[in-house]
Amino acid sequence: MLKTFLIGIKDLRLAFRDRAALILMLAAPFVLTLGLGLVTGRFSGSNNSGLSDIPVIIVNLDNDQLGDALADVFTSVELADLMEPAIGSDPEAARQLIDEDEAAAVVIIPEGFTQSIIPQQSAVAAELVKIEVYANPSRPTGAGIVKAIVDEFLSRVEEGRVSGSVSILQLVLSGRITPAQAQVAGAAMTERLQTNTTDSALAITINSSTADGEEVKFDILAYLAPGMALMFLMYTVSYGGRSILAEKTQGTLPRLLVSPTSSTQILGGKIFGIFLTGSAQMLILIGASSLFFQLKWGDPMGVIILVLAAVFGATGWGMFVTAVARTPAQVANVGMSIMLIFGILGGSFVSLDQMPPAIQAFSKITPNAWALDGFTTLALGGTLTNLSAPITALLSMGMILFLVSVLLFGKKNLVQK
Amino acid sequence: MTNILEVQNLAKNYGDFQAVKGVSFNIEEGEIFSLLGPNGAGKTTTISMLSTLYTPTSGEAVIGGHSVTKDPMAVRGVIGVVPQDLALYEDLTARENLIFWGQMYNLSGKSLNMRVDEVLEQIGLTDKAKNRVKTFSGGMKRRVNIGVGLLHKPRLLFMDEPTVGIDPQSRRAILDTVKDLNKQGMTLLYTTHYMEEAEELSNRVGIIDHGELIALGTQKELTQQVGQAETLILHIGENDDSEALAKSLKGIQGVQQAEAVDHEVSIVCAEAEDVLAAVVTKANERGIKIRSIDIREPNLEAVFLHLTGRALRD
Ligand SMILES: Nc1ncnc2c1ncn2[C@@H]1O[C@H](COP(=O)(O)OP(=O)(O)O)[C@@H](O)[C@H]1O
Ligand SMILES: [Mg+2]
């Protein structure tokens, strides 16, 4: 265990001393992010990205304060570039449009939604009515953004339920309900949540008021930066895989094998080294883009866990390539190709929504697509809890690839006979 | 003397090709044993099996009481290995390399640091410890390569052609290190294709060719085995009559041949020690002053030539 760790640390150190590797690991993604950011006008203020005008259908059957407020969010000026909302009235017809790939998602706000959250007159708790987002599976990013906006809205409302009056104050300030209505609603909510008048409620209030409305505005860099970082993460994992074969030819692997170190410890150490290097690369890129581009990646916990899952999935690919290839040069070539193919498939250059459905489906084999989906969710204000799909996918991907690689590898490839 | 290593009928095939064809030999605790043979003889393959890197096709070797096939992990604790080709991380410094490899040999903490300092001293790289290995000359790299093998103070050290392709000065330093290590009690298995190295270093030599051990013993045993004689060379004064001396020396029992060349007389005999006294007496009788005497033992090159009909070096 200790030796596995020591071998991993050694590899991390070696990777960060290799100038060529550093250029591809850190400089290239950073410069490309910068370049694409300039091209898309991120730094000059206008926002005409590949990710724009996501077609979404709003079916508002609630027609009450909160339902209207959510519909307003989608039609707001702030989201005018990002969203192309259409108003529907029939849920079935709207779902039909999704099935025909006419839109990215339908948001159905059922009747009685507002009533279930803010009871107007009686203090009787109504059964919670849920908003439905009917997503188009072939437009995962677009649908993901719609989901994230709804999640964000709901979490605001949920926070509002906890710190009732302040939330209602916000609704008042934004002109969505009248002060008279607010008084009634506030009283009702306070009654429902008698226990919650503590400091923690206050803290939540502060959070929600400082973050007011900001995350929903989508920064194109929040798509470009992870896209580039993930693409060059594929370089790092193939670099790491290549180092296994390189250690064999440079004699350090045989030397390790004649020391009192088991081959499991050695292979484990090499894999751990890839994982460490990839994680370091991602975290440095995320740190740099936060610092230099003021990019908000979102929930830090979510970002870290997603990075680890993405690197795990990518490391699986690095191992697989290494197990299949025979020489370090082969790993380098295959790794470079995979980096580009996965970069394109995974949406690093062009949003997946603009690709044919077959390619979108195929993109699911890349860690890039899943992780990018996750990063988009986070940038739009989602948290770790919204990431179960990408994280599960990335971890399973890594696991399957590890198993296959170990089977292919065997000890035969590690020690030449 | 106890044997630290016992090899029996060790063989290795690469596919259909028999690289090592069943060699048997022992190494005694405390000696320097050389495996001498030309390129491709099977030296590295033999070392690779003994160091548990390759599994033997057949045969067995026991090192420090542990079988290389049944208990490789225990064997690895007893042995140190200095591979023929450099096996170092060029982007790490000399010190970082030694620390890392020390850790792989289960050293840690203070004792590791102290040991690394000692080894750096021993290989003469203390003041270059913080430089990356890739900035080193070939000879310096070789010394780090050796240092790695010494870290855990192995009882038995394998050195596979450690002087190939380096300058004479570094070579000298390495040969001296080998002798020092042996003086400090380390047993060594040294492979080489340089006859002079085997002659200078070893107590016993195994000559290997085409995967077979064709001769085994002390240098003397080997040369006598093929009936080679020793050569005594007398250096005498400029005014002395070397021709006459040579003639008179031929009468001594045991002297096979005596020839004068300039101010030297070469005497071929079976055993120099047996004739030396008589030779000196004869010279005194004639009033000839001997300035110095060289004894040239018959060399291993000649042995190899005799056994294979080929020269040792390609
Ligand atoms: N991995 C291998 N596969 C096939 N043949 C090999 C391999 N390693 C060595 N050989 C062959 O085995 C013979 C012995 O090689 P080696 O043990 O390296 O000799 P030496 O170290 O004495 O120069 C040579 O003919 C060499 O070509
Ligand atoms: Mg060799």
Side-chain angles (χ1 to χ4, degrees):
Chain A
M1 198 51 214
L2 175 66
K3 284 191 189 171
T4 300
F5 178 78
L6 293 168
I7 293 171
I9 295 285
K10 181 264 301 171
D11 277 352
L12 176 68
R13 183 180 269 177
L14 284 175
F16 276 80
R17 282 190 186 174
D18 181 339
R19 202 165 295 167
L22 280 183
I23 288 174
L24 281 161
M25 271 165 30
L26 298 176
F30 189 80
V31 169
L32 275 171
T33 304
L34 183 67
L36 286 171
L38 288 171
V39 170
T40 53
R42 153 60 157 74
F43 301 106
S44 56
S46 79
N47 189 358
N48 55 349
S49 62
L51 248 191
S52 62
D53 296 334
I54 298 165
V56 56
I57 304 167
I58 314 293
V59 180
N60 183 1
L61 301 175
D62 179 41
N63 285 318
D64 209 338
Q65 294 148 23
L66 290 177
D68 291 349
L70 178 56
D72 284 354
V73 167
F74 278 100
T75 52
S76 67
V77 189
E78 287 93 334
L79 292 185
D81 282 340
L82 187 64
M83 290 292 159
E84 195 180 273
I87 307 298
S89 55
D90 178 3
E92 266 323 303
R95 285 196 193 96
Q96 186 66 34
L97 285 174
I98 295 295
D99 295 342
E100 288 161 9
D101 198 25
E102 292 293 317
V106 185
V107 179
I108 299 162
I109 310 163
E111 209 178 331
F113 171 65
T114 305
Q115 184 66 25
S116 82
I117 291 178
I118 313 174
Q120 215 86 37
Q121 300 298 334
S122 67
V124 179
E127 201 181 317
L128 199 63
V129 177
K130 284 184 180 162
I131 291 182
E132 180 192 349
V133 176
Y134 188 70
N136 182 343
S138 65
R139 300 194 191 198
T141 313
I145 290 172
V146 171
K147 260 192 230 162
I149 292 172
V150 173
D151 281 348
E152 170 67 12
F153 178 83
L154 288 177
S155 69
R156 290 283 165 81
V157 171
E158 188 60 30
E159 279 164 16
R161 265 152 64 94
V162 176
S163 57
S165 51
V166 181
S167 165
I168 287 162
L169 187 66
Q170 282 175 353
L171 288 174
V172 175
L173 287 176
S174 61
R176 286 188 181 123
I177 53 176
T178 65
Q181 285 173 308
Q183 221 169 6
V184 180
M189 277 176 87
T190 318
E191 218 171 306
R192 273 174 70 165
L193 305 154
Q194 294 138 331
T195 48
N196 263 318
T197 49
T198 53
D199 291 336
S200 70
L202 230 127
I204 293 167
T205 309
I206 292 163
N207 278 344
S208 74
S209 58
T210 49
D212 188 58
E214 252 173 21
E215 292 96 325
V216 184
K217 214 167 129 189
F218 192 75
D219 183 346
I220 183 60
L221 267 197
Y223 188 85
L224 291 175
M228 285 303 132
L230 288 164
M231 185 165 100
F232 287 93
L233 171 63
M234 291 310 293
Y235 165 79
T236 305
V237 296
S238 73
Y239 174 86
R242 191 177 62 183
S243 86
I244 296 179
L245 298 187
E247 285 218 41
K248 190 165 136 182
T249 46
Q250 86 195 20
T252 42
L253 183 60
R255 186 163 223 171
L256 279 168
L257 286 165
V258 300
S259 76
T261 311
S262 72
S263 45
T264 313
Q265 284 174 314
I266 296 169
L267 192 59
K270 294 302 292 179
I271 295 172
F272 181 59
I274 303 176
F275 184 78
L276 269 184
T277 312
S279 304
Q281 173 197 23
M282 292 298 286
L283 293 175
I284 289 172
L285 287 172
I286 288 171
S289 61
S290 312
L291 196 66
F292 296 112
F293 306 145
Q294 276 77 47
L295 179 58
K296 293 189 178 63
W297 287 77
D299 176 34
M301 198 58 193
V303 169
I304 289 173
I305 304 282
L306 182 60
V307 163
L308 296 182
V311 176
F312 184 80
T315 304
W317 276 106
M319 291 305 297
F320 181 70
V321 171
T322 310
V324 172
R326 306 222 160 268
T327 64
Q330 275 182 12
V331 180
N333 292 336
V334 176
M336 220 31 122
S337 317
I338 286 204
M339 173 180 117
L340 288 171
I341 293 168
F342 279 16
I344 294 165
L345 276 183
S348 291
F349 296 101
V350 185
S351 167
L352 274 174
D353 290 0
Q354 295 165 1
M355 292 194 203
I359 291 188
Q360 291 184 14
F362 191 59
S363 76
K364 294 295 178 198
I365 67 158
T366 71
N368 309 49
W370 288 105
L372 196 50
D373 206 24
F375 281 119
T376 311
T377 304
L378 287 172
L380 287 165
T383 59
L384 189 53
T385 48
N386 308 111
L387 296 181
S388 51
I391 287 179
T392 312
L394 288 164
L395 293 182
S396 326
M397 177 185 299
M399 223 91 87
I400 292 168
L401 288 168
F402 276 124
L403 278 178
V404 174
S405 311
V406 166
L407 288 180
L408 285 174
F409 241 128
K411 280 182 188 171
K412 211 167 106 201
N413 209 347
L414 207 55
V415 192
Q416 60 188 122
K417 283 281 168 185
Chain B
M1 269 292 173
T2 52
N3 289 329
I4 190 165
L5 175 146
E6 296 182 349
V7 183
Q8 246 169 37
N9 291 320
L10 203 62
K12 179 76 189 174
N13 297 355
Y14 295 115
D16 287 340
F17 177 69
Q18 293 179 287
V20 175
K21 304 170 184 167
V23 299
S24 303
F25 62 95
N26 297 335
I27 296 181
E28 289 173 4
E29 190 113 43
E31 78 171 330
I32 300 181
F33 183 94
S34 290
L35 264 184
L36 174 68
N39 283 326
K43 301 183 296 295
T44 300
T45 304
T46 303
I47 294 248
S48 299
M49 288 188 281
L50 296 179
S51 58
T52 75
L53 184 63
Y54 294 170
T55 319
T57 305
S58 63
E60 178 62 287
V62 176
I63 298 177
H66 311 286
S67 151
V68 294
T69 52
K70 298 189 193 83
D71 197 2
M73 269 295 175
V75 168
R76 288 173 202 172
V78 177
I79 60 169
V81 182
V82 178
Q84 174 169 4
D85 298 313
L86 296 172
L88 301 167
Y89 297 105
E90 300 241 321
D91 273 322
L92 296 184
T93 67
R95 193 184 174 82
E96 286 166 345
N97 264 290
L98 292 172
I99 294 276
F100 174 76
W101 289 109
Q103 288 166 337
M104 293 303 112
Y105 277 92
N106 301 325
L107 302 175
S108 64
K110 227 185 222 166
S111 61
L112 172 60
N113 275 314
M114 275 166 52
R115 185 62 192 142
V116 165
D117 289 338
E118 272 171 36
V119 168
L120 280 168
E121 190 75 45
Q122 199 164 9
I123 58 177
L125 287 175
T126 304
D127 50 348
K128 295 267 195 270
K130 287 187 176 149
N131 296 7
R132 292 197 194 173
V133 166
K134 70 172 170 200
T135 65
F136 286 3
S137 70
M140 287 157 73
K141 286 180 186 175
R142 287 250 161 231
R143 282 186 272 162
V144 181
N145 201 40
I146 292 171
V148 169
L150 306 177
L151 285 165
H152 63 296
K153 299 188 178 168
R155 281 169 61 200
L156 173 62
L157 182 66
F158 296 154
M159 294 181 101
D160 195 5
E161 307 217 36
T163 60
V164 169
I166 56 170
D167 59 287
Q169 224 175 324
S170 300
R171 183 179 187 186
R172 188 69 258 151
I174 288 173
L175 294 180
D176 289 342
T177 308
V178 170
K179 286 195 259 187
D180 277 350
L181 290 169
N182 183 244
K183 269 193 206 116
Q184 290 158 24
M186 199 178 277
T187 311
L188 287 107
L189 169 54
Y190 188 98
T191 81
T192 181
H193 68 267
Y194 297 122
M195 165 206 77
E196 311 85 2
E197 289 186 0
E199 285 181 352
E200 175 179 344
L201 296 174
S202 15
N203 303 88
R204 289 187 309 134
V205 182
I207 299 182
I208 185 169
D209 187 43
H210 293 310
E212 283 174 297
L213 206 58
I214 55 174
L216 178 68
T218 62
Q219 207 178 312
K220 207 175 226 176
E221 284 165 359
L222 290 178
T223 47
Q224 281 179 346
Q225 189 181 321
V226 295
Q228 283 292 313
E230 287 181 341
T231 309
L232 263 176
I233 296 169
L234 307 183
H235 301 269
I236 55 175
E238 284 176 27
N239 302 320
D240 296 322
D241 186 350
S242 55
E243 294 285 344
L245 178 61
K247 225 172 243 170
S248 71
L249 291 178
K250 279 182 181 161
I252 297 173
Q253 189 179 3
V255 172
Q256 296 164 4
Q257 227 183 339
E259 261 171 73
V261 185
D262 297 337
H263 311 296
E264 289 177 9
V265 179
S266 303
I267 304 148
V268 179
C269 55
E271 189 82 63
E273 289 150 40
D274 296 347
V275 300
L276 191 55
V279 165
V280 174
T281 315
K282 265 277 189 307
N284 279 343
E285 280 171 9
R286 296 187 151 259
I288 293 175
K289 201 174 166 211
I290 298 171
R291 300 203 163 158
S292 65
I293 302 175
D294 280 346
I295 300 175
R296 300 232 173 108
E297 296 191 5
N299 61 32
L300 295 171
E301 177 82 51
V303 177
F304 190 81
L305 186 69
H306 175 86
L307 289 173
T308 65
R310 288 177 290 120
L312 191 51
R313 256 167 280 170
D314 316 313

